[in-house]
């Protein structure tokens, strides 16, 4: 039983060592990364550079300006003096020539369209004048149409009276042999005429 406890104890000891090393590595990474994200305050920027070891040359920002053992402190101004203006660059190549006369062409097109509109307006005014004259003539015909309408009523009555008279006519006598007589039938009576 003692051998089993020793094995379990050794196994737990190894596991604890692995967990401790992993935790230390995570803390070390967090410690190294945390200051790098801090914003430096004031007019100067402070940083610390690792002097030895596997991370030699690695730099981190130090907001308070304090470095750890084995680090070298660096400080510089946030804003430096402005430099001298640089020399002027060479001129670029000239771009292609744009289309010429676009404005003149556009104005000519507008003028041509305006002339067409003016001609159509003139024609429309002429048609309007003709329609006005035709309307006036039709209004002048209105009394004549009314008079003709009254006469048509009288013509219908007279035609129907003539039909009645003709229906009373009869032919008497003999028709010689070889001679035919075709008598057309009387047309139907006309319906009473009504003016529109």
């Amino acid at each position: 039983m003692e051998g089993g406890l020793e094995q379990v104890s050794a196994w737990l000891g190894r596991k604890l060592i692995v967990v401790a090393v992993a935790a230390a590595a995570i803390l070390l990474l967090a410690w190294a990364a945390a200051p790098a994200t801090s914003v430096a305050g004031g007019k100067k920027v402070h940083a610390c550079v690792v002097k030895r070891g596997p991370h030699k040359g690695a730099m981190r920002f130090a907001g308070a300006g304090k470095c750890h053992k084995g680090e070298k402190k660096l400080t510089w101004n946030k804003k430096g003096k402005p430099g001298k203006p640089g020399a002027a660059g060479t001129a670029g190549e000239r771009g292609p020539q744009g289309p010429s006369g676009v404005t003149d062409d556009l104005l000519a097109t507008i003028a041509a369209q305006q002339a067409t509109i003016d001609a159509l307006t003139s024609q429309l005014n002429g048609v309007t004048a003709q329609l006005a004259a035709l309307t006036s003539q039709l209004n002048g015909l209105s009394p004549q149409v009314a008079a003709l309408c009254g006469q048509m009523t009288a013509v219908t009555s007279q035609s129907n009276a003539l039909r009645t008279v003709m229906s009373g006519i009869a032919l008497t006598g003999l028709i010689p042999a070889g001679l035919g007589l075709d008598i057309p039938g009387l047309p139907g009576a006309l319906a009473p005429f009504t003016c529109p």
Side-chain angles (χ1 to χ4, degrees):
M1 186 101 175
E2 285 184 17
L5 285 175
E6 287 177 5
Q7 289 177 350
V8 170
S9 178
W11 180 79
L12 281 174
R14 285 192 302 262
K15 290 293 182 187
L16 285 174
I17 291 172
V18 170
V19 170
V21 169
I26 290 172
L27 287 174
L28 181 63
L29 287 174
W31 170 77
T37 59
S38 66
V39 178
K43 295 183 178 181
K44 296 193 178 280
V45 177
H46 305 283
C48 298
V49 179
V50 178
K51 294 194 272 184
R52 294 183 207 67
H55 299 292
K56 182 179 179 182
M59 183 176 72
R60 67 177 180 86
F61 290 104
K66 295 182 180 178
C67 295
H68 300 288
K69 186 177 179 182
E71 293 180 335
K72 180 180 177 182
K73 182 177 177 182
L74 294 176
T75 304
W76 63 89
N77 293 331
K78 280 187 180 178
K79 187 174 181 181
K81 294 179 182 177
K84 295 180 181 179
T90 57
E93 293 182 24
R94 183 175 180 162
Q97 178 67 34
S100 61
V102 171
T103 305
D104 294 340
D105 291 345
L106 183 59
L107 290 175
T109 301
I110 292 171
Q113 289 177 350
Q114 185 62 48
T116 303
I117 290 170
D118 291 343
L120 289 173
T121 302
S122 176
Q123 290 176 4
L124 185 60
N125 289 339
V127 169
T128 303
Q130 290 176 359
L131 284 175
L134 185 58
T135 302
S136 177
Q137 290 175 0
L138 287 175
N139 289 337
L141 288 176
S142 183
Q144 296 174 3
V145 170
L148 183 60
C149 201
Q151 290 177 1
M152 284 303 296
T153 302
V155 167
T156 301
S157 297
Q158 289 175 3
S159 294
N160 286 338
L162 182 61
R163 181 184 178 281
T164 303
V165 169
M166 288 185 69
S167 64
I169 297 175
L171 289 176
T172 57
L174 293 174
I175 298 175
L179 184 64
L181 181 62
D182 289 329
I183 300 173
L186 291 174
L190 295 176
F193 183 81
T194 56
C195 292

